[in-house]
Amino acid sequence: MKNVNWDAYELFMQVARLGGLSGASGVTGLSPATVGRRMLDLEEAIGRPLFLRSRTGYQLTADGSALFAQILEMEGAARRIESWKREGAGSTLVRVACGTWLAWMFTRNLSLIRTERDDFRLDFYIAERRASLAHRESDIGIRAFEPDEPNLAATRLGEVAYAAYRARNAHPSAAERWLAVSEEDAISAYLRWPHQERGGQVVVTVNRPRSLRDLALGGAGTAVLPCFVGDQDMRLERVGGEIESLRHSQWIVMNNNDRHRRDIRAVVDRMVKFARGHGPLFAGRQPYTIPH
């Protein structure tokens, strides 16, 4: 087997986590073609198939899953060493994994999550994929379902609702033009909904959910958004009622062995207080306007 540089493994992890070439391309700055070629080179060097390739993305093979787990262990060990070093220096790092829009919400209200008196740093890993805490990949994760892993502790935050939105000043025809994340990148249920329910009316696709709101504001069409995003912006209006099939509970999870660490506990408690304090907004029952 040929020697493999660590950066090849790092790129492999991005493709595996994000489910395809486009997601990894957006994170790394490499073209999808380059990412695809690098993955073929990695498979050749290892001598085993790592992915099942399809129109909808890249899925790990059994060998790919085994490699993914081993690299997670290496990453976890490296991060634990880094945290240990920083604890000795008086500054620790709290890693939070969450989806695009929850990260948008937290970062717009960051002073409620981390205060000027705190001596820890925050790192947000933003992706639509399920947050993995098994190997300390993250310290805190936000999920759309209750975890079943025995080593994780979880607290329910409340419910999240979704609806379709368009610009208030948009031409009425915008209700018939739909905006979507590309099928390859449509990992979450709300991102898949336009393809499943309005597939013949999708006029623009993007690879990142954040662009859906911008397109809707520009009058390009109608986008499915979490109500806590759409209802905050008076420039947007709902098209129809809540899409009830997309409603789900939201959970904050952490590793059992780390949940009593002072910095992690502080961030978790503040996130829980913030989310529950704005429960009606997340559940689609109350507008809450933040200055733009």
Side-chain angles (χ1 to χ4, degrees):
M1 185 179 76
K2 300 178 182 177
N3 290 330
V4 179
N5 293 328
W6 178 248
D7 61 351
Y9 290 127
E10 290 181 321
L11 186 57
F12 162 79
M13 294 298 281
Q14 293 294 348
V15 175
R17 284 172 173 141
L18 300 174
L21 304 182
S22 296
S25 174
V27 170
T28 63
L30 300 173
S31 70
T34 298
V35 177
R37 186 172 62 253
R38 293 276 299 275
M39 291 303 95
L40 289 172
D41 291 343
L42 178 61
E43 288 177 318
E44 182 181 353
I46 291 177
R48 301 184 184 186
L50 302 176
F51 296 103
L52 295 174
R53 295 162 171 86
S54 69
R55 285 183 63 254
T56 58
Y58 276 39
Q59 182 179 351
L60 290 174
T61 63
D63 286 325
S65 295
L67 178 61
F68 186 86
Q70 293 181 64
I71 297 175
L72 276 181
E73 291 181 4
M74 296 171 66
E75 285 186 337
R79 284 178 172 139
R80 289 194 294 275
I81 292 171
E82 187 63 24
S83 294
W84 173 73
K85 287 168 57 181
R86 292 191 178 279
E87 284 177 1
S91 175
T92 58
L93 179 66
V94 179
R95 302 178 301 274
V96 180
C98 58
T100 296
W101 293 115
L102 196 60
W104 174 84
M105 189 70 163
F106 282 143
T107 53
R108 286 163 70 91
N109 296 273
L110 193 61
S111 62
L112 301 177
I113 308 300
R114 184 191 182 280
T115 71
E116 294 181 357
R117 298 185 298 276
D118 292 322
D119 59 1
F120 59 79
R121 297 178 299 117
L122 281 175
D123 174 73
F124 283 89
Y125 180 80
I126 304 169
E128 298 305 306
R129 281 195 167 275
R130 167 178 171 171
S132 174
L133 286 79
H135 299 282
R136 311 301 207 282
E137 181 180 348
S138 299
D139 299 307
I140 300 168
I142 314 293
R143 292 183 179 177
F145 54 90
E146 185 175 9
D148 54 10
E149 297 95 323
N151 63 323
L152 298 184
T155 299
R156 186 175 180 274
L157 297 177
E159 293 191 328
V160 180
Y162 297 81
Y165 291 86
R166 67 178 177 188
R168 288 187 183 276
N169 62 355
H171 190 276
S173 64
E176 304 302 320
R177 299 193 305 271
W178 286 80
L179 313 168
V181 166
S182 63
E183 290 189 73
E184 178 181 342
D185 298 298
I187 296 171
S188 302
Y190 84 97
L191 298 177
R192 293 192 297 269
W193 192 92
H195 295 288
Q196 295 169 342
E197 304 295 333
R198 300 291 188 272
Q201 296 173 287
V202 173
V203 297
V204 180
T205 57
V206 292
N207 71 323
R208 295 184 180 181
R210 279 292 297 267
S211 297
L212 295 175
R213 175 175 172 267
D214 296 333
L215 284 166
L217 285 170
T222 300
V224 176
L225 297 169
C227 291
F228 70 85
V229 176
D231 288 349
Q232 289 191 59
D233 198 325
M234 297 304 295
R235 298 170 296 175
L236 293 173
E237 63 180 3
R238 291 193 192 185
V239 178
E242 176 195 343
I243 304 174
E244 295 182 2
S245 62
L246 296 179
R247 177 181 285 266
H248 63 78
S249 293
Q250 192 161 246
W251 299 79
I252 188 166
V253 298
M254 68 216 88
N255 194 287
N256 260 325
N257 295 329
D258 297 332
R259 64 192 179 102
H260 297 300
R261 209 176 86 188
R262 180 180 58 83
D263 50 357
I264 294 176
R265 188 74 257 170
V267 174
V268 167
D269 288 345
R270 293 167 189 171
M271 286 183 167
V272 169
K273 181 179 179 181
F274 176 82
R276 290 180 176 174
H278 295 98
L281 173 66
F282 281 98
R285 296 191 296 268
Q286 176 183 313
Y288 172 74
T289 303
I290 293 177
H292 300 287

